Amino acid sequence: MQNRRAVRRGAVARARGAAGDLALTVVVVAFVLPIAWGIITALKPEADVFDNSVQSLLHATDFSNFVSAWNFGPFGQFLLNGVIVGVLGTALTVATSLMAGYGFARLRFRGREPLFAVYVATLVVPQEVLVVPMYLFMRDLGWINSYQALIVPWAFSAFGVFLMRQFFRTIPVELEDAAKVDGASHGYIFGRIMVPMVKPAMGILGLFTFIGYWNSFLWPVIVINSKSMATVPLGLEYFLTQQGYIWNLLMAGGTISILPGTLLALLLQRWLSQGISLAGLGGR
Amino acid sequence: MTALVERAGLAGSNPGALRGHGHRRRKERSDARAALAFLLPNGIGFLVFTLVPVIASLVISLYSWPLIGTRHFVGIANYRALFTKDSTFRAALLNTLYFVAAYTPLNIGVSLGLALWLRGYSRGRRLLRVLFFVPVLTPLVADSVVWSLLYTNRNGLIDEAVHAVFGVQGPNWLSSPHWVMPAIIIMSVWQGFGYNLLLFTAGIHAVPELYYDAARVDGASAWHVFRNVTLPLISPSLFFGTVLTIISAFQVFTQAYVLTAGGPGTSSTTLVYWLFEKAFDDYALGYASAIAWVLFVIVIAITLLQMRLQRRWVHYEV
């Protein structure tokens, strides 16, 4: 009797599990659909774009739209600009955040806490508050339509300093004390002892900084005015305005722009989920 | 804000480290010179590109400041004009509040729901979480472009689906004053919930299995376990995620810019969209800065309010 009940309970659980799997599959398909539909449309000849029949879906194998979109973009240029701006901006942000984070975490000087409080207070300042004066500043520097304008203004974020300081503070002081007894300089302690210990946090800061640069739209729209300097989002926006609504080409441009982030997510799969909990962004 | 982020766990869970300075204090020496060297690179940039612009923005907002030509001090005239004469600003304010009020609970609900749901799966769940995270990593412009196809009323996928399920013609999403905001909100939730999903997942996984075992032994229902075990224990993540989500929701811009240009009429004009128009189409920089400061003050007020309210529902002790 006991046994039979257990078996029945097992069957119910299995059925429930199957229903759950089915529901989850529906959710996943619905989630992927917008991008999948974009890719399918990008593979259609123009006459077929609004033909949703199965037959037209099966014939969606026209890669020429991707080639046309790529060349018209030119998406190669947009991607290159995005990489240049993202890499340099990230390097600058991580380097200066590491140094200042170490300073705030470990060095003793008068006014440290008030100064840090000022940094923290700016964490809530929306970018939109900064863009108008920043635009005027860029104009006066003669930086309009340049890589510097895309990179430099956002490379000194309070967030990076804050994050790095928190991580440096979790490292036991004993490690540096031993080095100090041996007469090591701050430069040595920073470079050889501290930085290697916060590598995971550097990775997280680096990733999110890069994504920020890569996807930034408001600022490039303001400060860039030519295709040759456009990053991917702005380049795609130019593409959109110039192509009008030639949907298959538009979708080709759209999915090309989505591809790098997708690859990044898949490559960093293991690291992403662990990374966020590691940086404590969601840790308890 | 320090308290907020520190408590939410950004500091890593090492309370000892916060008190680890005791024996260094004994030496009472100053590292002023080294500190200068370490802080200067960031400090100069921070001063020039954050502190000065914040103050400058406030000052500019008190001027009539055209891009080219002479500027003159007008006091609070820009602010007064915003609230008394500018009907587009009023629409933008309402649209933005609408967006925040709908987007935030949807985002939190979907991401928390999925985080809990996926916890029950052992295989493939990491891949799924990363999949849901993909749009967060992609340009919002590209996501908007892809969604614009779904929203077309000429055999668009969503219209087809509405027709199939409800048997009625779907609305012309992006050119309907009533449906344009819901359309933007739905797309934005799709795009953005992946971040909170990872955030909440991390929070959920940090709950010791022990608590669930204890609840199970007591015969607690799934709802009870969620309400009395999971929810209090992940409340810091939930709080942190909500605060960040609301702040970013107030800054909604790209979707309106790419999908609708703020239209039809002013139906999808948001605060930041209006700020952008004023600053870079009308070149009214003072007026635009006033909009920026209204946005800023709202964001600060709501963040402070949340920090006050958190005492009622966020539990930091394990």
Side-chain angles (χ1 to χ4, degrees):
Chain A
M1 190 65 186
Q2 281 285 343
N3 209 4
R4 205 182 299 161
R5 201 179 292 163
V7 168
R8 200 189 301 150
R9 210 180 296 143
V12 168
R14 258 199 309 280
R16 208 178 271 166
D21 289 351
L22 187 66
L24 191 58
T25 310
V26 170
V27 169
V28 171
V29 169
F31 178 80
V32 174
L33 201 59
I35 293 179
W37 195 247
I39 295 174
I40 291 171
T41 306
L43 291 170
K44 285 179 175 179
E46 207 189 335
D48 275 9
V49 165
F50 288 106
D51 184 350
N52 296 341
S53 68
V54 177
Q55 209 163 19
S56 99
L57 298 188
L58 292 177
H59 287 143
T61 51
D62 186 358
F63 280 92
S64 67
N65 294 321
F66 282 98
V67 179
S68 315
W70 178 273
N71 291 332
F72 184 91
F75 277 92
Q77 183 72 51
F78 303 154
L79 291 166
L80 179 67
N81 291 339
V83 169
I84 290 173
V85 169
V87 168
L88 291 180
T90 304
L92 197 57
T93 305
V94 172
T96 62
S97 300
L98 274 172
M99 291 178 68
Y102 175 74
F104 278 121
R106 283 301 206 258
L107 301 177
R108 299 180 43 70
F109 56 95
R110 253 197 308 163
R112 183 176 77 173
E113 298 314 313
L115 185 59
F116 187 67
V118 172
Y119 264 78
V120 170
T122 64
L123 282 175
V124 283
V125 177
Q127 189 197 26
E128 291 76 14
V129 172
L130 306 176
V131 293
V132 167
M134 201 87 93
Y135 173 78
L136 292 172
F137 190 33
M138 295 295 113
R139 195 183 60 165
D140 293 345
L141 286 175
W143 281 12
I144 298 294
N145 207 35
S146 71
Y147 285 136
Q148 305 89 286
L150 290 174
I151 296 168
V152 177
W154 314 109
F156 306 96
S157 75
F159 177 74
V161 176
F162 180 79
L163 190 69
M164 285 305 157
R165 171 183 175 269
Q166 302 310 96
F167 273 87
F168 280 126
R169 286 176 69 146
T170 63
I171 298 172
V173 231
E174 285 72 18
L175 278 170
E176 316 147 60
D177 283 351
K180 272 183 201 154
V181 169
D182 294 340
S185 67
H186 282 296
Y188 182 91
I189 293 172
F190 173 71
R192 292 298 170 85
I193 300 176
M194 300 297 272
V195 170
M197 297 202 62
V198 293
K199 270 190 188 155
M202 276 170 69
I204 282 293
L205 177 62
L207 175 70
F208 280 97
T209 307
F210 184 85
I211 300 301
Y213 275 107
W214 183 263
N215 290 339
S216 168
F217 182 62
L218 178 66
W219 181 242
V221 171
I222 292 170
V223 87
I224 297 299
N225 53 36
S226 78
K227 267 188 174 185
S228 61
M229 294 305 299
T231 51
V232 174
L234 183 60
L236 182 61
E237 164 63 20
Y238 287 158
F239 185 76
L240 173 68
T241 21
Q242 288 174 359
Q243 285 293 340
Y245 283 85
I246 305 175
W247 287 103
N248 48 356
L249 277 185
L250 212 51
M251 290 305 125
T255 46
I256 288 172
S257 309
I258 285 173
L259 196 64
T262 311
L263 290 179
L264 196 66
L266 294 178
L267 276 177
L268 298 179
Q269 213 190 113
R270 176 181 297 268
W271 199 77
L272 264 178
S273 355
Q274 281 170 357
I276 283 199
S277 51
L278 183 82
L281 285 170
R284 289 183 31 79
Chain B
M1 195 69 188
T2 326
L4 159 69
V5 187
E6 233 165 39
R7 281 172 151 189
L10 257 176
S13 50
N14 191 349
L18 300 177
R19 278 176 248 111
H21 301 285
H23 65 288
R24 290 205 307 161
R25 195 158 287 156
R26 253 180 276 132
K27 287 190 231 153
E28 277 304 339
R29 61 187 168 73
S30 170
D31 306 311
R33 202 182 293 172
L36 193 65
F38 275 98
L39 292 181
L40 214 52
N42 189 281
I44 291 177
F46 179 70
L47 179 71
V48 173
F49 296 108
T50 301
L51 282 188
V52 171
V54 170
I55 307 298
S57 167
L58 185 60
V59 172
I60 294 172
S61 78
L62 302 174
Y63 277 79
S64 164
W65 193 307
L67 189 61
I68 303 158
T70 48
R71 47 186 180 255
H72 55 272
F73 185 78
V74 295
I76 59 164
N78 287 328
Y79 293 93
R80 196 178 295 149
L82 273 180
F83 286 102
T84 54
K85 291 188 201 135
D86 188 346
S87 60
T88 308
F89 171 75
R90 208 169 306 137
L93 187 59
L94 290 176
N95 287 336
T96 305
L97 291 174
Y98 178 11
F99 182 84
V100 174
Y103 172 81
T104 310
L106 283 172
N107 178 318
I108 302 290
V110 169
S111 51
L112 182 60
L114 267 174
L116 291 167
W117 192 2
L118 288 178
R119 193 170 64 98
Y121 286 80
S122 49
R123 268 181 309 133
R125 66 180 175 189
R126 193 179 71 208
L127 184 66
L128 284 185
R129 284 187 204 117
V130 170
L131 182 74
F132 292 131
F133 194 69
V134 163
V136 180
L137 296 179
T138 60
L140 200 40
V141 181
D143 300 320
S144 303
V145 164
V146 168
W147 274 75
S148 65
L149 174 66
L150 299 184
Y151 281 135
T152 53
N153 65 333
R154 200 182 135 198
N155 284 2
L157 208 53
I158 294 181
D159 267 9
E160 292 258 294
V162 167
H163 191 76
V165 176
F166 300 105
V168 292
Q169 183 65 40
N172 194 350
W173 294 87
L174 297 179
S175 31
S176 150
H178 296 294
W179 290 101
V180 65
M181 283 310 288
I184 287 179
I185 289 163
I186 292 168
M187 190 230 120
S188 304
V189 171
W190 172 86
Q191 189 270 338
F193 79 85
Y195 182 83
N196 281 336
L197 173 63
L198 286 194
L199 188 70
F200 297 155
T201 298
I204 288 171
H205 279 256
V207 176
E209 200 57 36
L210 194 75
Y211 290 93
Y212 291 115
D213 294 341
R216 218 168 288 136
V217 168
D218 292 346
S221 69
W223 167 249
H224 266 92
V225 171
F226 171 72
R227 182 70 192 77
N228 300 318
V229 179
T230 315
L231 199 56
L233 287 172
I234 66 165
S235 57
S237 309
L238 208 53
F239 172 67
F240 185 67
T242 310
V243 170
L244 288 192
T245 304
I246 290 181
I247 292 178
S248 69
F250 268 104
Q251 296 170 277
V252 54
F253 165 72
T254 304
Q255 300 91 315
Y257 185 92
V258 176
L259 286 176
T260 59
T266 55
S267 310
S268 65
T269 301
T270 64
L271 281 178
V272 177
Y273 186 83
W274 190 230
L275 182 166
F276 178 86
E277 287 268 291
K278 277 292 163 193
F280 301 103
D281 274 357
D282 297 352
Y283 302 120
L285 300 184
Y287 197 78
S289 296
I291 300 176
W293 270 81
V294 171
L295 174 73
F296 190 16
V297 168
I298 296 175
V299 166
I300 290 178
I302 292 198
T303 305
L304 287 178
L305 180 70
Q306 283 176 281
M307 289 176 73
R308 176 155 295 206
L309 290 179
Q310 68 162 322
R311 279 179 226 140
R312 303 220 187 122
W313 67 279
V314 181
H315 304 258
Y316 288 104
E317 68 291 336
V318 175

